């Protein structure tokens, strides 16, 4: 099945060393499960240190330190293909070109399509779309669709991808070996241990973004942690890279999910750390460059995503953002919008994070 794989999600020997073209982000390599356990212990000590030194502190983790990156690569491809399938069906129903959250499939037509592809019988899909939050309006949007692919779904079933051209389900990969299945479960267990310790210590846990071919899986697994641990306040923070063309769609879809399910949305916004490597890999392997074409477009994306989250804070007070930027204009933009929207620093809904040495020193009267 190698030829059926998406180019972006195939392992490539030339980019096996992910440090190439990256000077500002830590890179982890998989050695064995014992090494992943060591990384988890290091993260636990960091969480403990943060909890002991300040109230509402932060710690950051990388999922590629906690398990075999190949799993993230494979799971990312599954998520992307299933989302693309949704967009293909939306296009068939005359909704091509709409924003992600504006696409709504007619549930009956969707059920017929799923039955014809052998994904589910009509009775099964009717059961899926008659729950409390599904199909009440006779339509299914992207969030309804995503809810079918959650932590309760067996991974082996997800590895079957619908092909709209052939009308058949195709195996994305050969089945995981028993050891690979255990590796996946151990990664999830390590994430759970870290999230529980962060909640216990009152530390906000930021899950770092990584290369675009890992990121769909990283975001999805982080989302599952947010659903569990962000019921009363934002403990788990996802990271959105605003140099990606799809950043705004990702932010808006996840914010809407937090609204529907009633948990606190937590995010760290960054521009991104892997641009040179991402572009080189896309050009060499032959897939679309995922990065915005210009620095100005990335700035626009950052401010657009940030403004959307600040508006959500104003309306619900259940969103939280870490403005992780070294850009003076972005910090000024944030402060101005906070004042305009009535978001006071004492609420601790907006935080600022910079790394010393990566920007000129600037001072702002945050208390005013």
């Amino acid at each position: 099945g190698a030829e059926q794989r998406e180019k972006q999600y195939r392992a490539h020997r030339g980019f096996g060393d992910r440090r190439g073209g990256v000077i500002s982000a830590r890179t982890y390599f998989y050695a064995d499960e014992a090494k992943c356990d060591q990384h988890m212990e290091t993260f636990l000590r960091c969480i403990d240190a943060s909890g002991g030194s300040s109230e509402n502190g932060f710690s950051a983790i990388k999922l590629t330190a906690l398990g075999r990156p190949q799993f993230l690569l494979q799971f990312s491809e599954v998520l992307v293909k299933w989302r693309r399938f949704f967009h293909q069906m939306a296009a068939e129903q005359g909704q091509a070109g709409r924003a992600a959250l504006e696409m709504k499939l007619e549930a009956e037509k969707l059920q017929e399509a799923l039955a014809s592809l052998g994904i589910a019988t009509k009775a099964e899909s009717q059961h899926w779309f008659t729950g409390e939050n599904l199909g009440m309006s006779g339509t299914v949007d992207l969030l309804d669709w995503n809810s079918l692919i959650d932590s309760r779904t067996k991974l082996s079933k997800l590895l079957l991808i619908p092909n709209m051209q052939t009308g058949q389900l195709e195996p994305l990969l050969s089945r995981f070996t028993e050891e690979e299945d255990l590796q996946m479960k151990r990664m999830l267990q390590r994430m759970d241990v870290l999230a529980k310790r962060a909640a216990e210590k009152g530390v906000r846990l930021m899950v770092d973004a990584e290369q675009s071919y890992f990121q769909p899986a990283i975001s999805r697994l982080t989302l599952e942690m947010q659903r569990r641990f962000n019921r009363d306040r934002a403990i788990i923070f996802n990271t959105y890279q605003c140099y990606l063309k799809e950043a705004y769609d990702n932010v808006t879809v996840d914010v809407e999910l937090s609204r529907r399910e009633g948990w606190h949305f937590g995010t760290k916004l960054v521009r991104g750390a892997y641009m040179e490597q991402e572009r080189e890999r896309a050009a060499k392997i032959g897939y679309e460059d995922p990065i915005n074409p210009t620095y100005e477009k990335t700035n626009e994306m950052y401010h657009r995503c940030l403004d959307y989250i600040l508006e959500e804070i104003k309306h619900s007070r259940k969103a939280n953002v870490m403005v992780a930027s070294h850009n003076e204009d972005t910090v000024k933009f944030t402060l101005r919008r906070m004042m305009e929207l009535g978001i006071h620093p004492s609420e601790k809904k907006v935080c600022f994070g910079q790394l010393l040495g990566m920007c000129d020193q600037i001072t702002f009267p945050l208390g005013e």
Side-chain angles (χ1 to χ4, degrees), residues 36-224:
C36 293
D37 285 335
Q38 290 177 21
H39 292 152
M40 182 186 72
E41 292 298 328
T42 299
F43 289 150
L44 286 171
R45 290 196 295 272
C46 291
I47 292 169
D48 290 344
S50 181
S53 62
S54 64
E55 267 190 53
N56 298 313
F58 283 97
S59 280
I61 65 172
K62 280 196 160 188
L63 292 200
T64 51
L66 298 176
R68 190 164 173 255
Q70 184 74 6
F71 162 64
L72 297 174
L73 197 71
Q74 294 166 345
F75 191 30
S76 289
E77 182 173 10
V78 169
L79 294 171
V80 167
K81 283 202 169 186
W82 274 96
R83 184 164 177 165
R84 188 174 300 159
F85 180 49
F86 175 87
H87 285 283
Q88 287 176 320
M89 289 189 291
E92 288 192 356
Q93 293 190 17
Q95 300 183 50
R98 291 188 184 181
L101 280 176
E102 292 177 1
M103 292 182 178
K104 298 185 186 296
L105 305 181
E106 293 181 31
E108 189 170 340
K109 288 184 179 179
L110 174 58
Q111 290 161 2
E112 291 172 358
L114 295 175
S116 66
L117 286 168
I119 298 171
T121 66
K122 196 159 185 180
E124 287 175 327
S125 60
Q126 283 174 341
H127 175 70
W128 289 347
F129 296 113
T130 54
E132 182 179 349
N133 298 315
L134 296 180
M136 300 302 289
S137 63
T139 61
V140 176
D141 66 12
L142 183 60
L143 288 178
D144 298 329
W145 177 250
N146 286 345
S147 72
L148 300 180
I149 308 174
D150 60 20
S151 58
R152 293 165 295 180
T153 306
K154 290 184 179 179
L155 188 65
S156 59
K157 190 169 184 178
L158 288 179
L159 297 179
L160 296 173
I161 299 299
N163 185 320
M164 293 291 283
Q165 279 69 47
T166 64
Q168 299 294 320
L169 283 175
E170 298 176 348
L172 176 63
L173 306 163
S174 59
R175 290 187 178 277
F176 277 6
T177 65
E178 185 176 348
E179 176 56 29
E180 287 172 332
D181 192 55
L182 286 173
Q183 289 170 356
M184 176 196 71
K185 290 175 181 176
R186 290 181 193 128
M187 175 187 282
L188 300 178
Q189 289 166 352
R190 293 179 188 112
M191 291 175 65
D192 189 64
V193 168
L194 294 171
K196 286 178 178 175
R197 181 69 65 87
E200 175 190 327
K201 298 291 184 178
V203 171
R204 290 168 287 184
L205 192 63
M206 300 182 297
V207 181
D208 274 349
E210 304 192 46
Q211 284 88 349
S212 62
Y213 40 94
F214 295 137
Q215 195 52 43
I218 291 172
S219 288
R220 186 56 191 243
L221 295 175
T222 304
L223 189 68
E224 293 302 326

Side-chain angles (χ1 to χ4, degrees), residues 101 104 133 141 143-144 255-262:
L101 280 176
K104 298 185 186 296
N133 298 315
D141 66 12
L143 288 178
D144 298 329
V255 167
E256 176 61 23
L257 181 65
S258 72
R259 290 180 193 141
R260 293 187 189 184
E261 297 184 345

Side-chain angles (χ1 to χ4, degrees), residues 226-256:
Q226 288 180 311
R227 284 170 145 168
R228 291 178 55 202
F229 292 96
N230 286 11
R231 306 308 304 185
D232 300 318
R233 66 190 187 97
I235 294 288
I236 308 299
F237 279 57
N238 204 351
T239 301
Y240 297 87
Q241 300 158 303
C242 294
Y243 67 3
L244 294 179
K245 296 172 182 175
E246 60 183 20
Y248 183 76
D249 278 348
N250 292 338
V251 167
T252 55
V253 167
D254 290 353
V255 167
E256 176 61 23

